[in-house]
Amino acid sequence: MSIYPEAAKRLLAFINASPTPFHAVQNAAIRLEAAGFSKIRETDDWDLQPRSKYYYTRNQTCLIAFTTPSNWRPGTGVSIVATHVDSPNLRVRPVSKKSNLGYLQVGIETYGGGIWHSWFDRDLSLAGRVIVVQRDGTFRSKLVKIDRPLLRIPSLAIHLDRNVNDSFKFNQESEFTPIFGLVESELNDVKVQGASAPSGQMKHHPALLLVLSEELSVAPEEIRDFELHLYDTQPSVLGGVNNEFIFSPRLDNQFSSYCAVEAIATYAENPSFMEFVGNVNCVALFNHEEIGSVSTTGAESSLIPSLLQRLSPEPASYSQSVSRSFLVSADMGHAVHPNYSSKHEENHRPIINGGMVIKTNAKQRYASDAISTFLFRKLVEQRGGKVQEFEVRNDMACGSTVGPMLSKIGLRTVDVGNAMLSMHSIRETGGSHDVQHAVDAFSSFFDGFSKLDGDLLID
């Protein structure tokens, strides 16, 4: 019997509509506005009120959303679920025009630590943002998503590389450039020949500018600049004999991002929200986690400190707020692999659809400790859920995420995620039932943290 978890189907729709961080932030904002959140801007004065819902973005690539409880005042704690919306991918270079042996090619740069061999022989396309000039002389950033396959990185036939199945290695600069078309077709296309850049400097193929202009309904010469990412056009789907799996790109970490947004939106839509007493509840969708988070939109930026300061502007109230706050750092975790079980410590082997994974590392690559682990476990159990434990083997390096970075502010932190396979592949595998597990866990956090924290004596 096939099962179709509703939460998983909504996640698929989110991922399929979000090939880039730009699109993920836009789609998160759409969901929040549907739940009654009002957009504010960092450049404005904030007139915050209790029983209210707000969100703001920075540079179209990160988002902060928060709700104020009925008892809100400076010094109130903040309960934060932090995720990231970037994933390893390929990005078009500022000067991308290449050709070789009759092929049009597009110069790309790798982003993050991808399993790059998985990008070969995939139907790739382009998405991102484009700066266009408008009729009144102003400029606007528009999002673009080309649905049809445009590019491909072809592998070399086995007849020309008989050892390919023994050791597949390639040069990421010279043997990893996608093909975009044939030179002859561009030369013979009248429309392409009419497409030109305003500066006259042809940094990109005219055919590329034409594709973008047609998608955006603008003239090629109105395009001033762009940031474009390559993505796999094969959609996210449910899979497995009982649809227990999700086969998808970008599960790390749009999975957690979607669940965090859905949890705070659902919480804010509940009529009981107006009478809620407790912390400010918040979700933070960061950019650039895959390359270290050191940017204006990453977890090590001013985003969270700035929010805390604007909620509690005086030094004393700021310190009180930090001490009352709690961070759930949500990023995907490694499920035990049936073909490589030795890669996991024998007592720490999370499974897909087995519930939330708490990640621990004595060297503080994860920020979980006994207190934060206890609190999160109790909140999950209050919704009838269960947790799994992950700790890396002593003979393997441990990854990290946004938790340790944000814990430096003084926030109590737990690092969690959901178990998945093939992390950083162009096609990853997650659990369809884990979507609801994550939404339930974050919802319990928003509903119940303050009361549970008040029942715990530490210092």
Side-chain angles (χ1 to χ4, degrees), residues 183-444:
V183 172
E184 182 180 3
S185 63
E186 184 176 57
L187 293 174
N188 293 334
D189 192 320
V190 175
K191 290 193 299 181
V192 168
Q193 290 307 303
S196 61
S199 64
Q201 299 177 356
M202 296 303 300
K203 298 189 296 183
H204 309 283
H205 286 296
L208 176 56
L209 296 175
L210 184 62
V211 168
L212 294 174
S213 66
E214 290 178 342
E215 187 70 24
L216 294 170
S217 299
V218 300
E221 58 270 18
E222 293 174 340
I223 296 174
R224 290 295 187 262
D225 211 337
F226 53 71
E227 290 177 69
L228 294 178
H229 301 187
L230 279 66
Y231 78 96
D232 186 3
T233 58
Q234 183 177 352
S236 305
V237 295
L238 296 177
V241 66
N242 287 310
N243 288 310
E244 59 265 73
F245 298 133
I246 297 173
F247 302 145
S248 172
R250 301 181 300 281
L251 290 179
D252 176 22
N253 191 33
Q254 287 190 13
F255 188 116
S256 303
S257 299
Y258 166 81
C259 294
V261 170
E262 186 62 24
I264 200 169
T266 303
Y267 152 80
E269 289 172 328
N270 193 308
S272 65
F273 162 73
M274 299 302 291
E275 305 306 320
F276 177 77
V277 175
N279 274 4
V280 170
N281 284 326
C282 172
V283 298
L285 313 185
F286 292 111
N287 191 24
H288 293 146
E289 188 274 345
E290 298 293 356
I291 56 170
S293 296
V294 285
S295 71
T296 60
T297 54
E300 284 205 298
S301 72
S302 62
L303 278 161
I304 292 298
S306 174
L307 172 65
L308 295 172
Q309 288 165 1
R310 296 187 83 155
L311 290 169
S312 301
E314 298 299 324
S317 62
Y318 176 85
S319 296
Q320 288 177 322
S321 178
V322 170
S323 68
R324 294 166 176 161
S325 297
F326 193 91
L327 173 74
V328 175
S329 167
D331 202 353
M332 297 299 280
H334 300 292
V336 64
H337 196 301
N339 301 332
Y340 301 92
S341 60
S342 63
K343 296 297 183 179
H344 277 66
E345 201 280 329
E346 62 181 355
N347 291 320
H348 298 82
R349 292 178 169 179
I351 60 172
I352 286 176
N353 288 327
M356 299 299 297
V357 178
I358 296 177
K359 303 185 240 181
T360 307
N361 181 254
K363 303 176 183 67
Q364 288 295 287
R365 296 291 288 172
Y366 299 127
S368 308
D369 61 17
I371 300 298
S372 62
T373 295
F374 163 77
L375 287 167
F376 187 77
R377 180 185 294 110
K378 289 292 290 184
L379 290 166
V380 170
E381 291 173 349
Q382 285 177 5
R383 288 292 180 99
K386 56 185 179 180
V387 300
Q388 307 179 84
E389 301 280 356
F390 175 77
E391 192 169 61
V392 76
R393 290 169 55 102
N394 285 324
D395 56 0
M396 295 180 66
C398 182
S400 190
T401 183
V402 303
M405 302 170 192
L406 292 168
S407 68
K408 296 179 202 174
I409 301 171
L411 301 175
R412 292 170 291 169
T413 301
V414 63
D415 274 296
V416 305
N418 291 95
M420 64 175 289
L421 297 170
S422 305
M423 188 181 292
H424 288 192
S425 172
I426 198 170
R427 300 290 294 183
E428 299 168 324
T429 299
S432 60
H433 298 282
D434 275 335
V435 184
Q436 192 63 56
H437 294 158
V439 173
D440 288 345
F442 301 152
S443 297
S444 184

